[in-house]
């Protein structure tokens, strides 16, 4: 009996469109280029950072430099991964963290030479910088600062930074550098789909449609499962000024086999006078066919028109309400606008 039911009730879920996933591919040439570019750059930026921290006079300024150096490491490595067409978030993550680690390590390596100073060291300045890359030297230097304080190691002044206070600063510094590098690196790498067929990134249209609807509308589940007609079932929410849903489309500019739809919930909050746009995914990069894509674009255009009409009607109502409050003086400040 049971074999006559070839389609179990759950089959609609099984045939639901898939969400985009990176293929995980990174070409060996990309890895070589990344290593050739990032290793020397990491050493150079690490040394410059170290010099900035040693020579900058104000502690606040040093903190700021630490913050920006992490962000800079992330930005450089993340954008390079994008340019080199990494299709693996893990490899992008490892590249960002690896680059940051090289920079951080070399900032320690050149630290002794910079603190003691070229004046004191003379011809030994550059050799000590190079020697500093030996982990034993770095460890010895850390132990020296821990026991004696950084100024004692530099030869002048009283021991300002030593012991566990110094260790706490190091931990904070490393956390700040690696934390900001991770955030800015993954943001620079992005999350666009890649068209393996054309070997290029998709282009994403933001705000394809701005829908004054709730992120928890049950129709989203049907849309996620491939029933795009359910877009028309979405209910308009009353508080749509502060929270709405944005439809985004990512497609390959050179073929019609790489189309993805995203529905992103947006909440607007005001933080210290700044308008902040917070995103939560309803679904991101749902695979759609070209025909479905065209349908969604048509829907978005119709929706935009409807929302525009609704706004105009609301405005007209508001104006009528204000006019009623005022004396009917034949105010000419609201002339009829010409139709577009
Ligand atoms: Zn393509």
């Amino acid at each position: 009996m049971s074999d006559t039911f070839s389609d179990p009730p759950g089959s609609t879920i099984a045939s639901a469109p898939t969400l985009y996933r990176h293929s995980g591919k990174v070409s060996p040439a990309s890895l070589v280029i990344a290593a050739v570019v990032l290793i020397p750059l990491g050493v150079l930026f690490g040394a410059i950072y170290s010099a900035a921290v040693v020579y900058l006079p104000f502690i606040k300024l040093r903190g700021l430099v630490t913050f920006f150096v992490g962000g800079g490491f992330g930005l450089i490595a993340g954008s390079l991964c994008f340019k080199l067409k990494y299709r693996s978030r893990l490899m992008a993550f490892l590249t960002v963290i690896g680059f940051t680690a090289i920079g951080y390590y070399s900032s320690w390596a050149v630290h002794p030479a910079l603190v003691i100073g070229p004046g004191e060291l003379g011809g030994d300045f550059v050799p000590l910088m190079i020697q500093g890359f030996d982990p034993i030297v770095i460890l010895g230097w850390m132990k020296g600062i821990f026991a004696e304080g950084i100024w004692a190691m530099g030869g002048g002044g009283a021991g300002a930074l030593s012991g566990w206070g110094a260790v706490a600063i190091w931990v904070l510094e490393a956390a700040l550098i690696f934390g900001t590098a991770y955030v800015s690196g993954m943001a620079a790498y992005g999350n666009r789909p890649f068209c393996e067929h054309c070997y290029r990134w998709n282009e994403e249209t933001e705000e394809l449609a701005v829908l004054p609807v709730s992120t928890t509308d049950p129709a989203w589940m049907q849309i996620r499962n491939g029933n795009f007609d359910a877009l028309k079932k979405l209910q308009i929410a009353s508080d749509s000024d502060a929270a709405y849903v944005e439809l985004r489309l990512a497609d390959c500019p050179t073929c019609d086999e790489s189309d993805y739809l995203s529905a992103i919930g947006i909440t607007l909050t005001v933080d210290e006078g700044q308008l902040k746009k917070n995103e939560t995914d309803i679904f991101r990069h749902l695979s759609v066919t070209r025909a479905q894509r065209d349908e969604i674009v048509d829907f978005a255009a119709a929706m935009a028109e409807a929302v525009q009409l609704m706004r105009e009607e609301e405005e007209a109502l508001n104006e009528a309400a204000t006019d009623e409050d005022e004396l009917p003086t034949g105010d000419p400040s609201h002339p009829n606008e010409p139709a577009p």
Side-chain angles (χ1 to χ4, degrees):
M1 275 291 282
S2 64
D3 59 348
T4 55
F5 295 101
S6 54
D7 275 329
S11 66
T12 49
I13 306 294
S15 65
T18 53
L19 294 175
Y20 171 82
R21 283 192 60 138
H22 276 318
S23 64
K25 289 177 190 161
V26 181
S27 81
S30 293
L31 288 178
V32 172
I33 295 168
V36 166
V37 171
L38 294 180
I39 292 170
L41 217 56
V43 171
L44 181 71
F45 286 169
I48 293 171
Y49 164 65
S50 202
V53 170
V54 170
Y55 295 119
L56 279 176
F58 304 110
I59 191 115
K60 267 190 184 171
L61 217 54
R62 288 183 212 160
L64 213 60
V65 167
T66 305
F67 182 79
F68 279 113
V69 83
F73 280 135
L75 188 67
I76 291 168
S79 359
L80 190 69
C81 292
F82 177 80
K83 286 225 165 64
L84 293 174
K85 299 178 176 172
Y86 275 41
R87 281 98 77 207
S88 162
R89 278 187 81 75
L90 176 66
M91 289 302 289
F93 168 79
L94 291 175
T95 303
V96 166
I97 294 303
F99 179 55
T100 310
I102 291 167
Y104 183 67
Y105 188 84
S106 53
S107 79
W108 269 108
V110 300
H111 196 235
L114 289 170
V115 168
I116 299 167
E120 189 92 3
L121 286 163
D124 291 334
F125 182 64
V126 174
L128 181 60
M129 257 189 185
I130 294 163
Q131 241 187 307
F133 281 88
D134 183 342
I136 311 263
V137 174
I138 293 182
L139 213 62
W141 179 249
M142 283 175 158
K143 278 181 186 163
I145 294 176
F146 185 83
E148 318 255 347
I150 191 160
W151 302 124
M153 302 298 285
L161 184 68
S162 66
W164 291 109
V167 175
I169 298 262
W170 295 339
V171 171
L172 203 70
E173 181 194 35
L176 192 59
I177 291 178
F178 282 91
T180 50
Y182 168 72
V183 172
S184 81
M186 295 322 278
Y189 173 62
N191 59 2
R192 287 201 217 178
F194 190 85
C195 179
E196 295 287 341
H197 186 251
C198 307
Y199 202 69
R200 64 183 297 171
W201 293 106
N202 277 15
E203 276 168 16
E204 193 145 47
T205 316
E206 292 203 358
E207 297 193 2
L208 172 78
V210 173
L211 310 176
V213 301
S214 161
T215 55
T216 51
D217 196 306
W220 287 121
M221 201 56 202
Q222 297 179 40
I223 298 160
R224 164 66 187 87
N225 287 326
N227 175 15
F228 296 105
D229 273 345
L231 279 167
K232 291 161 194 152
K233 289 192 210 160
L234 289 164
Q235 299 290 318
I236 295 197
S238 51
D239 57 344
S240 62
D241 283 344
Y244 55 91
V245 175
E246 203 176 292
L247 289 186
R248 295 179 188 168
L249 204 62
D251 57 6
C252 173
T254 46
C255 78
D256 51 14
E257 274 153 45
S258 184
D259 295 320
Y260 299 95
L261 177 73
S262 302
I264 315 288
I266 309 273
T267 37
L268 298 176
T269 52
V270 179
D271 186 25
E272 290 171 6
Q274 290 259 342
L275 198 62
K276 268 186 74 182
K277 215 173 157 184
N278 308 291
E279 296 188 2
T280 41
D281 294 1
I282 298 172
F283 53 79
R284 199 179 276 266
H285 298 142
L286 184 72
S287 178
V288 296
T289 65
R290 188 42 70 106
Q292 285 168 334
R293 191 202 83 129
D294 294 343
E295 238 173 82
I296 293 159
V297 169
D298 287 347
F299 164 79
M303 194 69 196
E305 216 169 291
V307 169
Q308 178 66 26
L309 263 172
M310 202 177 73
R311 291 249 163 84
E312 276 170 17
E313 261 168 41
E314 236 170 59
E315 258 170 47
L317 275 175
N318 284 345
E319 272 176 28
T322 348
D323 286 349
E324 270 172 30
D325 293 341
E326 290 165 3
L327 286 169
T329 54
D331 185 0
S333 69
H334 305 298
N336 287 329
E337 281 174 34

